[in-house]
Amino acid sequence: MKQLPFSDPFSNDGKSHSAERSHWIRSCLPLYLVMGSVNCKQSPVQVLEQAIAGGVTLFQYREKGKQALRGQEYVELARRLQDICRNHKVPFIVNDDLELALTLDADGVHVGQDDAPADWIRQRLGPDKIVGVSAHSLVEASRAIAAGADYLGIGPIYPTLSKDDAEPVRGTEVIQHVRRSGLTIPLVGIGGIHEHNAAPVLRDGADGVAVISAITAADAPGEATQRLKKTIIQNL
Ligand code: 3NM
């Protein structure tokens, strides 16, 4: 897992969709933390610091749910978490909020199937930022790739309590299906993944796992991250 210099994919060198770029995106995906304040038992700042120390390779700010922060507080938390990411050279992605991403000059945006289309996001963000798309089937995966996605989040692999409107569980079969169809796009599995069930997700073709509760709901988020990272390294 060679980590290329952080600045590479963001340089405007006309290679946005080159093999180099896709290699770099893949190298960001092994342990992708998705998180907002509602997911955390401790302060989100502390959780993110511990998680990054434990080996998180990519971060998504996803402030969703009834208790989610709004307005200035929402932006303030985003800035604080982005600062931590910058200090550790971990890319900072915003969930479904192009305006916030543009305001903060975030490294990218992640969208779901009911959010703004990926090609619209890509147009506004420019070629150098990261655009991720949630997909639940081969058809959605193919469409996202055609719309310019850099990576896919495929799930839910296992049952999850972290997303109210989660789709039916897909198992790792959906990842096998996407890979067997010949699609090579960087992708992570998401939904109910933790240290004891991450291995099949990677063996079936994912480049990493995206998690919320495996890290945010742990009593010791740093240690939970380290254990999960160990499993990932053993199975990638
Ligand atoms: N997206 P946890 S599942 C944010 O299937 C999200 O697209 C999903 O949280 C999808 O790791 C999910 O706690 C929740 O199960 C993941």
Side-chain angles (χ1 to χ4, degrees), residues 161-198:
L161 296 175
S162 304
K163 187 169 160 63
D164 295 339
D165 55 349
E167 295 264 324
V169 167
R170 299 294 201 268
T172 60
E173 290 78 7
V174 63
I175 293 175
Q176 286 179 18
H177 195 200
V178 168
R179 286 305 189 217
R180 283 186 189 149
S181 77
L183 299 182
T184 57
I185 185 167
L187 68 85
V188 289
I190 186 166
I193 299 173
H194 51 69
E195 61 177 301
H196 300 298
N197 63 13

PDB file of all heavy atoms in Angstrom, residues 161-198:
ATOM      1  N   LEU A 161     -27.269  -0.199  11.732  1.00  0.00           N
ATOM      2  CA  LEU A 161     -28.193   0.638  12.504  1.00  0.00           C
ATOM      3  C   LEU A 161     -27.870   2.115  12.275  1.00  0.00           C
ATOM      4  O   LEU A 161     -28.523   2.998  12.817  1.00  0.00           O
ATOM      5  CB  LEU A 161     -28.065   0.335  14.004  1.00  0.00           C
ATOM      6  CG  LEU A 161     -28.467  -1.067  14.437  1.00  0.00           C
ATOM      7  CD1 LEU A 161     -28.173  -1.285  15.925  1.00  0.00           C
ATOM      8  CD2 LEU A 161     -29.960  -1.303  14.170  1.00  0.00           C
ATOM      9  N   SER A 162     -26.860   2.397  11.475  1.00  0.00           N
ATOM     10  CA  SER A 162     -26.365   3.772  11.355  1.00  0.00           C
ATOM     11  C   SER A 162     -27.031   4.573  10.240  1.00  0.00           C
ATOM     12  O   SER A 162     -26.782   5.758  10.106  1.00  0.00           O
ATOM     13  CB  SER A 162     -24.856   3.770  11.107  1.00  0.00           C
ATOM     14  OG  SER A 162     -24.201   3.056  12.114  1.00  0.00           O
ATOM     15  N   LYS A 163     -27.870   3.914   9.441  1.00  0.00           N
ATOM     16  CA  LYS A 163     -28.527   4.640   8.344  1.00  0.00           C
ATOM     17  C   LYS A 163     -30.005   4.291   8.370  1.00  0.00           C
ATOM     18  O   LYS A 163     -30.372   3.134   8.162  1.00  0.00           O
ATOM     19  CB  LYS A 163     -27.892   4.221   7.009  1.00  0.00           C
ATOM     20  CG  LYS A 163     -28.360   5.000   5.805  1.00  0.00           C
ATOM     21  CD  LYS A 163     -27.453   4.672   4.619  1.00  0.00           C
ATOM     22  CE  LYS A 163     -28.039   4.975   3.270  1.00  0.00           C
ATOM     23  NZ  LYS A 163     -28.347   6.331   2.969  1.00  0.00           N
ATOM     24  N   ASP A 164     -30.856   5.305   8.604  1.00  0.00           N
ATOM     25  CA  ASP A 164     -32.299   5.066   8.757  1.00  0.00           C
ATOM     26  C   ASP A 164     -32.918   4.458   7.509  1.00  0.00           C
ATOM     27  O   ASP A 164     -33.746   3.559   7.584  1.00  0.00           O
ATOM     28  CB  ASP A 164     -33.024   6.404   9.040  1.00  0.00           C
ATOM     29  CG  ASP A 164     -32.588   6.979  10.374  1.00  0.00           C
ATOM     30  OD1 ASP A 164     -32.093   6.192  11.207  1.00  0.00           O
ATOM     31  OD2 ASP A 164     -32.726   8.209  10.576  1.00  0.00           O
ATOM     32  N   ASP A 165     -32.511   4.982   6.360  1.00  0.00           N
ATOM     33  CA  ASP A 165     -33.147   4.557   5.115  1.00  0.00           C
ATOM     34  C   ASP A 165     -32.254   3.592   4.329  1.00  0.00           C
ATOM     35  O   ASP A 165     -32.204   3.644   3.099  1.00  0.00           O
ATOM     36  CB  ASP A 165     -33.492   5.786   4.257  1.00  0.00           C
ATOM     37  CG  ASP A 165     -32.256   6.662   4.004  1.00  0.00           C
ATOM     38  OD1 ASP A 165     -31.208   6.416   4.656  1.00  0.00           O
ATOM     39  OD2 ASP A 165     -32.334   7.571   3.169  1.00  0.00           O
ATOM     40  N   ALA A 166     -31.551   2.717   5.070  1.00  0.00           N
ATOM     41  CA  ALA A 166     -30.638   1.787   4.384  1.00  0.00           C
ATOM     42  C   ALA A 166     -31.428   0.847   3.468  1.00  0.00           C
ATOM     43  O   ALA A 166     -32.555   0.454   3.774  1.00  0.00           O
ATOM     44  CB  ALA A 166     -29.840   0.978   5.401  1.00  0.00           C
ATOM     45  N   GLU A 167     -30.826   0.503   2.363  1.00  0.00           N
ATOM     46  CA  GLU A 167     -31.393  -0.472   1.423  1.00  0.00           C
ATOM     47  C   GLU A 167     -31.312  -1.866   2.054  1.00  0.00           C
ATOM     48  O   GLU A 167     -30.601  -2.060   3.049  1.00  0.00           O
ATOM     49  CB  GLU A 167     -30.538  -0.472   0.158  1.00  0.00           C
ATOM     50  CG  GLU A 167     -30.566   0.807  -0.619  1.00  0.00           C
ATOM     51  CD  GLU A 167     -31.584   0.756  -1.740  1.00  0.00           C
ATOM     52  OE1 GLU A 167     -31.747  -0.314  -2.339  1.00  0.00           O
ATOM     53  OE2 GLU A 167     -32.208   1.793  -1.999  1.00  0.00           O
ATOM     54  N   PRO A 168     -32.004  -2.856   1.468  1.00  0.00           N
ATOM     55  CA  PRO A 168     -31.852  -4.228   1.966  1.00  0.00           C
ATOM     56  C   PRO A 168     -30.388  -4.671   1.900  1.00  0.00           C
ATOM     57  O   PRO A 168     -29.651  -4.239   1.012  1.00  0.00           O
ATOM     58  CB  PRO A 168     -32.696  -5.059   0.999  1.00  0.00           C
ATOM     59  CG  PRO A 168     -33.633  -4.093   0.374  1.00  0.00           C
ATOM     60  CD  PRO A 168     -32.955  -2.759   0.359  1.00  0.00           C
ATOM     61  N   VAL A 169     -30.022  -5.542   2.846  1.00  0.00           N
ATOM     62  CA  VAL A 169     -28.640  -6.032   2.909  1.00  0.00           C
ATOM     63  C   VAL A 169     -28.274  -6.768   1.613  1.00  0.00           C
ATOM     64  O   VAL A 169     -29.073  -7.538   1.090  1.00  0.00           O
ATOM     65  CB  VAL A 169     -28.493  -6.964   4.131  1.00  0.00           C
ATOM     66  CG1 VAL A 169     -27.195  -7.739   4.084  1.00  0.00           C
ATOM     67  CG2 VAL A 169     -28.573  -6.143   5.412  1.00  0.00           C
ATOM     68  N   ARG A 170     -27.071  -6.490   1.112  1.00  0.00           N
ATOM     69  CA  ARG A 170     -26.647  -7.079  -0.160  1.00  0.00           C
ATOM     70  C   ARG A 170     -25.648  -8.226   0.012  1.00  0.00           C
ATOM     71  O   ARG A 170     -25.411  -8.971  -0.925  1.00  0.00           O
ATOM     72  CB  ARG A 170     -25.990  -6.017  -1.058  1.00  0.00           C
ATOM     73  CG  ARG A 170     -26.894  -4.855  -1.436  1.00  0.00           C
ATOM     74  CD  ARG A 170     -28.023  -5.344  -2.315  1.00  0.00           C
ATOM     75  NE  ARG A 170     -28.655  -4.298  -3.105  1.00  0.00           N
ATOM     76  CZ  ARG A 170     -29.717  -3.582  -2.745  1.00  0.00           C
ATOM     77  NH1 ARG A 170     -30.270  -3.785  -1.571  1.00  0.00           N
ATOM     78  NH2 ARG A 170     -30.234  -2.686  -3.549  1.00  0.00           N
ATOM     79  N   GLY A 171     -24.975  -8.294   1.167  1.00  0.00           N
ATOM     80  CA  GLY A 171     -23.906  -9.279   1.324  1.00  0.00           C
ATOM     81  C   GLY A 171     -22.720  -8.913   0.446  1.00  0.00           C
ATOM     82  O   GLY A 171     -22.769  -7.924  -0.310  1.00  0.00           O
ATOM     83  N   THR A 172     -21.670  -9.721   0.540  1.00  0.00           N
ATOM     84  CA  THR A 172     -20.490  -9.405  -0.280  1.00  0.00           C
ATOM     85  C   THR A 172     -20.713  -9.820  -1.735  1.00  0.00           C
ATOM     86  O   THR A 172     -19.907  -9.496  -2.602  1.00  0.00           O
ATOM     87  CB  THR A 172     -19.223 -10.102   0.272  1.00  0.00           C
ATOM     88  OG1 THR A 172     -19.450 -11.506   0.263  1.00  0.00           O
ATOM     89  CG2 THR A 172     -18.882  -9.649   1.668  1.00  0.00           C
ATOM     90  N   GLU A 173     -21.819 -10.504  -2.004  1.00  0.00           N
ATOM     91  CA  GLU A 173     -22.111 -10.944  -3.384  1.00  0.00           C
ATOM     92  C   GLU A 173     -22.170  -9.755  -4.345  1.00  0.00           C
ATOM     93  O   GLU A 173     -21.779  -9.865  -5.511  1.00  0.00           O
ATOM     94  CB  GLU A 173     -23.446 -11.706  -3.453  1.00  0.00           C
ATOM     95  CG  GLU A 173     -23.436 -13.067  -2.807  1.00  0.00           C
ATOM     96  CD  GLU A 173     -23.528 -13.019  -1.278  1.00  0.00           C
ATOM     97  OE1 GLU A 173     -23.729 -11.919  -0.713  1.00  0.00           O
ATOM     98  OE2 GLU A 173     -23.392 -14.093  -0.654  1.00  0.00           O
ATOM     99  N   VAL A 174     -22.662  -8.618  -3.852  1.00  0.00           N
ATOM    100  CA  VAL A 174     -22.788  -7.466  -4.750  1.00  0.00           C
ATOM    101  C   VAL A 174     -21.402  -6.993  -5.206  1.00  0.00           C
ATOM    102  O   VAL A 174     -21.226  -6.552  -6.349  1.00  0.00           O
ATOM    103  CB  VAL A 174     -23.619  -6.326  -4.089  1.00  0.00           C
ATOM    104  CG1 VAL A 174     -22.950  -5.777  -2.844  1.00  0.00           C
ATOM    105  CG2 VAL A 174     -23.877  -5.198  -5.082  1.00  0.00           C
ATOM    106  N   ILE A 175     -20.412  -7.134  -4.348  1.00  0.00           N
ATOM    107  CA  ILE A 175     -19.047  -6.748  -4.731  1.00  0.00           C
ATOM    108  C   ILE A 175     -18.496  -7.744  -5.755  1.00  0.00           C
ATOM    109  O   ILE A 175     -17.939  -7.366  -6.781  1.00  0.00           O
ATOM    110  CB  ILE A 175     -18.140  -6.658  -3.486  1.00  0.00           C
ATOM    111  CG1 ILE A 175     -18.621  -5.485  -2.618  1.00  0.00           C
ATOM    112  CG2 ILE A 175     -16.678  -6.475  -3.879  1.00  0.00           C
ATOM    113  CD1 ILE A 175     -17.904  -5.353  -1.307  1.00  0.00           C
ATOM    114  N   GLN A 176     -18.718  -9.032  -5.482  1.00  0.00           N
ATOM    115  CA  GLN A 176     -18.299 -10.060  -6.454  1.00  0.00           C
ATOM    116  C   GLN A 176     -18.922  -9.784  -7.820  1.00  0.00           C
ATOM    117  O   GLN A 176     -18.275  -9.879  -8.858  1.00  0.00           O
ATOM    118  CB  GLN A 176     -18.784 -11.433  -6.014  1.00  0.00           C
ATOM    119  CG  GLN A 176     -18.041 -12.025  -4.853  1.00  0.00           C
ATOM    120  CD  GLN A 176     -18.641 -13.394  -4.486  1.00  0.00           C
ATOM    121  OE1 GLN A 176     -19.361 -14.014  -5.265  1.00  0.00           O
ATOM    122  NE2 GLN A 176     -18.345 -13.850  -3.293  1.00  0.00           N
ATOM    123  N   HIS A 177     -20.212  -9.439  -7.789  1.00  0.00           N
ATOM    124  CA  HIS A 177     -20.970  -9.215  -9.015  1.00  0.00           C
ATOM    125  C   HIS A 177     -20.353  -8.064  -9.817  1.00  0.00           C
ATOM    126  O   HIS A 177     -20.139  -8.169 -11.027  1.00  0.00           O
ATOM    127  CB  HIS A 177     -22.419  -8.899  -8.608  1.00  0.00           C
ATOM    128  CG  HIS A 177     -23.390  -8.988  -9.728  1.00  0.00           C
ATOM    129  ND1 HIS A 177     -24.622  -8.389  -9.694  1.00  0.00           N
ATOM    130  CD2 HIS A 177     -23.309  -9.588 -10.929  1.00  0.00           C
ATOM    131  CE1 HIS A 177     -25.251  -8.626 -10.822  1.00  0.00           C
ATOM    132  NE2 HIS A 177     -24.482  -9.351 -11.583  1.00  0.00           N
ATOM    133  N   VAL A 178     -20.055  -6.962  -9.116  1.00  0.00           N
ATOM    134  CA  VAL A 178     -19.459  -5.799  -9.782  1.00  0.00           C
ATOM    135  C   VAL A 178     -18.094  -6.168 -10.358  1.00  0.00           C
ATOM    136  O   VAL A 178     -17.778  -5.857 -11.509  1.00  0.00           O
ATOM    137  CB  VAL A 178     -19.337  -4.609  -8.787  1.00  0.00           C
ATOM    138  CG1 VAL A 178     -18.466  -3.495  -9.341  1.00  0.00           C
ATOM    139  CG2 VAL A 178     -20.726  -4.069  -8.436  1.00  0.00           C
ATOM    140  N   ARG A 179     -17.286  -6.865  -9.590  1.00  0.00           N
ATOM    141  CA  ARG A 179     -15.934  -7.222 -10.065  1.00  0.00           C
ATOM    142  C   ARG A 179     -15.982  -8.225 -11.215  1.00  0.00           C
ATOM    143  O   ARG A 179     -15.244  -8.096 -12.182  1.00  0.00           O
ATOM    144  CB  ARG A 179     -15.098  -7.787  -8.903  1.00  0.00           C
ATOM    145  CG  ARG A 179     -14.633  -6.735  -7.894  1.00  0.00           C
ATOM    146  CD  ARG A 179     -13.884  -5.612  -8.557  1.00  0.00           C
ATOM    147  NE  ARG A 179     -13.250  -4.697  -7.623  1.00  0.00           N
ATOM    148  CZ  ARG A 179     -13.167  -3.385  -7.821  1.00  0.00           C
ATOM    149  NH1 ARG A 179     -13.698  -2.825  -8.888  1.00  0.00           N
ATOM    150  NH2 ARG A 179     -12.545  -2.607  -6.959  1.00  0.00           N
ATOM    151  N   ARG A 180     -16.884  -9.213 -11.092  1.00  0.00           N
ATOM    152  CA  ARG A 180     -16.958 -10.232 -12.163  1.00  0.00           C
ATOM    153  C   ARG A 180     -17.445  -9.630 -13.469  1.00  0.00           C
ATOM    154  O   ARG A 180     -17.193 -10.166 -14.549  1.00  0.00           O
ATOM    155  CB  ARG A 180     -17.859 -11.389 -11.747  1.00  0.00           C
ATOM    156  CG  ARG A 180     -17.122 -12.289 -10.779  1.00  0.00           C
ATOM    157  CD  ARG A 180     -17.902 -13.533 -10.439  1.00  0.00           C
ATOM    158  NE  ARG A 180     -17.247 -14.240  -9.367  1.00  0.00           N
ATOM    159  CZ  ARG A 180     -17.861 -14.970  -8.459  1.00  0.00           C
ATOM    160  NH1 ARG A 180     -19.179 -15.100  -8.492  1.00  0.00           N
ATOM    161  NH2 ARG A 180     -17.174 -15.583  -7.521  1.00  0.00           N
ATOM    162  N   SER A 181     -18.157  -8.514 -13.371  1.00  0.00           N
ATOM    163  CA  SER A 181     -18.636  -7.866 -14.597  1.00  0.00           C
ATOM    164  C   SER A 181     -17.498  -7.126 -15.293  1.00  0.00           C
ATOM    165  O   SER A 181     -17.672  -6.583 -16.377  1.00  0.00           O
ATOM    166  CB  SER A 181     -19.748  -6.881 -14.262  1.00  0.00           C
ATOM    167  OG  SER A 181     -19.165  -5.715 -13.716  1.00  0.00           O
ATOM    168  N   GLY A 182     -16.340  -7.049 -14.626  1.00  0.00           N
ATOM    169  CA  GLY A 182     -15.173  -6.425 -15.263  1.00  0.00           C
ATOM    170  C   GLY A 182     -14.920  -4.988 -14.837  1.00  0.00           C
ATOM    171  O   GLY A 182     -13.974  -4.363 -15.303  1.00  0.00           O
ATOM    172  N   LEU A 183     -15.752  -4.442 -13.941  1.00  0.00           N
ATOM    173  CA  LEU A 183     -15.535  -3.059 -13.496  1.00  0.00           C
ATOM    174  C   LEU A 183     -14.366  -3.014 -12.519  1.00  0.00           C
ATOM    175  O   LEU A 183     -14.349  -3.762 -11.534  1.00  0.00           O
ATOM    176  CB  LEU A 183     -16.803  -2.493 -12.842  1.00  0.00           C
ATOM    177  CG  LEU A 183     -18.042  -2.424 -13.733  1.00  0.00           C
ATOM    178  CD1 LEU A 183     -19.220  -1.803 -12.976  1.00  0.00           C
ATOM    179  CD2 LEU A 183     -17.745  -1.626 -15.003  1.00  0.00           C
ATOM    180  N   THR A 184     -13.417  -2.128 -12.812  1.00  0.00           N
ATOM    181  CA  THR A 184     -12.190  -2.076 -12.002  1.00  0.00           C
ATOM    182  C   THR A 184     -12.127  -0.824 -11.134  1.00  0.00           C
ATOM    183  O   THR A 184     -11.124  -0.579 -10.478  1.00  0.00           O
ATOM    184  CB  THR A 184     -10.943  -2.100 -12.903  1.00  0.00           C
ATOM    185  OG1 THR A 184     -11.042  -0.993 -13.813  1.00  0.00           O
ATOM    186  CG2 THR A 184     -10.846  -3.393 -13.689  1.00  0.00           C
ATOM    187  N   ILE A 185     -13.179  -0.026 -11.137  1.00  0.00           N
ATOM    188  CA  ILE A 185     -13.181   1.224 -10.373  1.00  0.00           C
ATOM    189  C   ILE A 185     -12.840   0.961  -8.894  1.00  0.00           C
ATOM    190  O   ILE A 185     -13.274  -0.050  -8.332  1.00  0.00           O
ATOM    191  CB  ILE A 185     -14.562   1.937 -10.499  1.00  0.00           C
ATOM    192  CG1 ILE A 185     -14.518   3.304  -9.797  1.00  0.00           C
ATOM    193  CG2 ILE A 185     -15.695   1.067  -9.937  1.00  0.00           C
ATOM    194  CD1 ILE A 185     -15.692   4.206 -10.123  1.00  0.00           C
ATOM    195  N   PRO A 186     -12.078   1.861  -8.264  1.00  0.00           N
ATOM    196  CA  PRO A 186     -11.853   1.711  -6.822  1.00  0.00           C
ATOM    197  C   PRO A 186     -13.190   1.665  -6.073  1.00  0.00           C
ATOM    198  O   PRO A 186     -14.100   2.442  -6.383  1.00  0.00           O
ATOM    199  CB  PRO A 186     -11.063   2.976  -6.457  1.00  0.00           C
ATOM    200  CG  PRO A 186     -10.385   3.391  -7.727  1.00  0.00           C
ATOM    201  CD  PRO A 186     -11.341   3.009  -8.820  1.00  0.00           C
ATOM    202  N   LEU A 187     -13.316   0.747  -5.116  1.00  0.00           N
ATOM    203  CA  LEU A 187     -14.570   0.690  -4.360  1.00  0.00           C
ATOM    204  C   LEU A 187     -14.356   0.201  -2.928  1.00  0.00           C
ATOM    205  O   LEU A 187     -13.419  -0.543  -2.642  1.00  0.00           O
ATOM    206  CB  LEU A 187     -15.609  -0.164  -5.084  1.00  0.00           C
ATOM    207  CG  LEU A 187     -15.433  -1.674  -5.227  1.00  0.00           C
ATOM    208  CD1 LEU A 187     -15.945  -2.429  -4.004  1.00  0.00           C
ATOM    209  CD2 LEU A 187     -16.203  -2.148  -6.456  1.00  0.00           C
ATOM    210  N   VAL A 188     -15.264   0.679  -2.066  1.00  0.00           N
ATOM    211  CA  VAL A 188     -15.294   0.194  -0.676  1.00  0.00           C
ATOM    212  C   VAL A 188     -16.633  -0.469  -0.405  1.00  0.00           C
ATOM    213  O   VAL A 188     -17.645  -0.097  -0.992  1.00  0.00           O
ATOM    214  CB  VAL A 188     -15.128   1.341   0.355  1.00  0.00           C
ATOM    215  CG1 VAL A 188     -13.717   1.877   0.353  1.00  0.00           C
ATOM    216  CG2 VAL A 188     -16.134   2.463   0.148  1.00  0.00           C
ATOM    217  N   GLY A 189     -16.637  -1.431   0.487  1.00  0.00           N
ATOM    218  CA  GLY A 189     -17.883  -1.970   1.021  1.00  0.00           C
ATOM    219  C   GLY A 189     -18.285  -1.115   2.216  1.00  0.00           C
ATOM    220  O   GLY A 189     -17.424  -0.572   2.918  1.00  0.00           O
ATOM    221  N   ILE A 190     -19.601  -0.984   2.457  1.00  0.00           N
ATOM    222  CA  ILE A 190     -20.089  -0.218   3.611  1.00  0.00           C
ATOM    223  C   ILE A 190     -21.324  -0.895   4.175  1.00  0.00           C
ATOM    224  O   ILE A 190     -22.075  -1.549   3.451  1.00  0.00           O
ATOM    225  CB  ILE A 190     -20.383   1.256   3.219  1.00  0.00           C
ATOM    226  CG1 ILE A 190     -20.759   2.074   4.470  1.00  0.00           C
ATOM    227  CG2 ILE A 190     -21.456   1.365   2.136  1.00  0.00           C
ATOM    228  CD1 ILE A 190     -20.743   3.575   4.282  1.00  0.00           C
ATOM    229  N   GLY A 191     -21.549  -0.719   5.474  1.00  0.00           N
ATOM    230  CA  GLY A 191     -22.737  -1.233   6.127  1.00  0.00           C
ATOM    231  C   GLY A 191     -22.419  -2.382   7.052  1.00  0.00           C
ATOM    232  O   GLY A 191     -22.157  -3.501   6.589  1.00  0.00           O
ATOM    233  N   GLY A 192     -22.400  -2.106   8.353  1.00  0.00           N
ATOM    234  CA  GLY A 192     -22.252  -3.159   9.361  1.00  0.00           C
ATOM    235  C   GLY A 192     -20.887  -3.825   9.385  1.00  0.00           C
ATOM    236  O   GLY A 192     -20.745  -4.925   9.918  1.00  0.00           O
ATOM    237  N   ILE A 193     -19.881  -3.172   8.830  1.00  0.00           N
ATOM    238  CA  ILE A 193     -18.554  -3.805   8.755  1.00  0.00           C
ATOM    239  C   ILE A 193     -17.763  -3.504  10.022  1.00  0.00           C
ATOM    240  O   ILE A 193     -17.762  -2.376  10.516  1.00  0.00           O
ATOM    241  CB  ILE A 193     -17.790  -3.322   7.497  1.00  0.00           C
ATOM    242  CG1 ILE A 193     -18.581  -3.710   6.238  1.00  0.00           C
ATOM    243  CG2 ILE A 193     -16.383  -3.919   7.460  1.00  0.00           C
ATOM    244  CD1 ILE A 193     -18.030  -3.152   4.946  1.00  0.00           C
ATOM    245  N   HIS A 194     -17.102  -4.543  10.551  1.00  0.00           N
ATOM    246  CA  HIS A 194     -16.234  -4.376  11.722  1.00  0.00           C
ATOM    247  C   HIS A 194     -15.076  -5.360  11.594  1.00  0.00           C
ATOM    248  O   HIS A 194     -14.981  -6.090  10.591  1.00  0.00           O
ATOM    249  CB  HIS A 194     -17.016  -4.549  13.034  1.00  0.00           C
ATOM    250  CG  HIS A 194     -17.829  -5.795  13.099  1.00  0.00           C
ATOM    251  ND1 HIS A 194     -17.256  -7.046  13.181  1.00  0.00           N
ATOM    252  CD2 HIS A 194     -19.173  -5.998  13.044  1.00  0.00           C
ATOM    253  CE1 HIS A 194     -18.206  -7.960  13.211  1.00  0.00           C
ATOM    254  NE2 HIS A 194     -19.391  -7.347  13.113  1.00  0.00           N
ATOM    255  N   GLU A 195     -14.234  -5.387  12.622  1.00  0.00           N
ATOM    256  CA  GLU A 195     -12.983  -6.158  12.489  1.00  0.00           C
ATOM    257  C   GLU A 195     -13.221  -7.650  12.233  1.00  0.00           C
ATOM    258  O   GLU A 195     -12.387  -8.321  11.629  1.00  0.00           O
ATOM    259  CB  GLU A 195     -12.093  -5.971  13.718  1.00  0.00           C
ATOM    260  CG  GLU A 195     -12.749  -6.447  14.989  1.00  0.00           C
ATOM    261  CD  GLU A 195     -11.841  -6.324  16.217  1.00  0.00           C
ATOM    262  OE1 GLU A 195     -10.754  -6.927  16.205  1.00  0.00           O
ATOM    263  OE2 GLU A 195     -12.251  -5.659  17.178  1.00  0.00           O
ATOM    264  N   HIS A 196     -14.363  -8.178  12.691  1.00  0.00           N
ATOM    265  CA  HIS A 196     -14.577  -9.620  12.556  1.00  0.00           C
ATOM    266  C   HIS A 196     -15.273 -10.040  11.259  1.00  0.00           C
ATOM    267  O   HIS A 196     -15.402 -11.225  10.993  1.00  0.00           O
ATOM    268  CB  HIS A 196     -15.365 -10.148  13.764  1.00  0.00           C
ATOM    269  CG  HIS A 196     -14.644  -9.897  15.056  1.00  0.00           C
ATOM    270  ND1 HIS A 196     -13.414 -10.441  15.325  1.00  0.00           N
ATOM    271  CD2 HIS A 196     -14.965  -9.122  16.118  1.00  0.00           C
ATOM    272  CE1 HIS A 196     -13.001 -10.033  16.516  1.00  0.00           C
ATOM    273  NE2 HIS A 196     -13.927  -9.222  17.013  1.00  0.00           N
ATOM    274  N   ASN A 197     -15.779  -9.065  10.481  1.00  0.00           N
ATOM    275  CA  ASN A 197     -16.425  -9.465   9.217  1.00  0.00           C
ATOM    276  C   ASN A 197     -15.883  -8.693   8.005  1.00  0.00           C
ATOM    277  O   ASN A 197     -16.469  -8.744   6.926  1.00  0.00           O
ATOM    278  CB  ASN A 197     -17.956  -9.301   9.321  1.00  0.00           C
ATOM    279  CG  ASN A 197     -18.378  -7.853   9.528  1.00  0.00           C
ATOM    280  OD1 ASN A 197     -17.578  -6.941   9.357  1.00  0.00           O
ATOM    281  ND2 ASN A 197     -19.641  -7.640   9.879  1.00  0.00           N
ATOM    282  N   ALA A 198     -14.772  -7.993   8.205  1.00  0.00           N
ATOM    283  CA  ALA A 198     -14.214  -7.183   7.107  1.00  0.00           C
ATOM    284  C   ALA A 198     -13.507  -8.046   6.056  1.00  0.00           C
ATOM    285  O   ALA A 198     -13.494  -7.694   4.867  1.00  0.00           O
ATOM    286  CB  ALA A 198     -13.239  -6.142   7.656  1.00  0.00           C
TER     287      ALA A 198
END
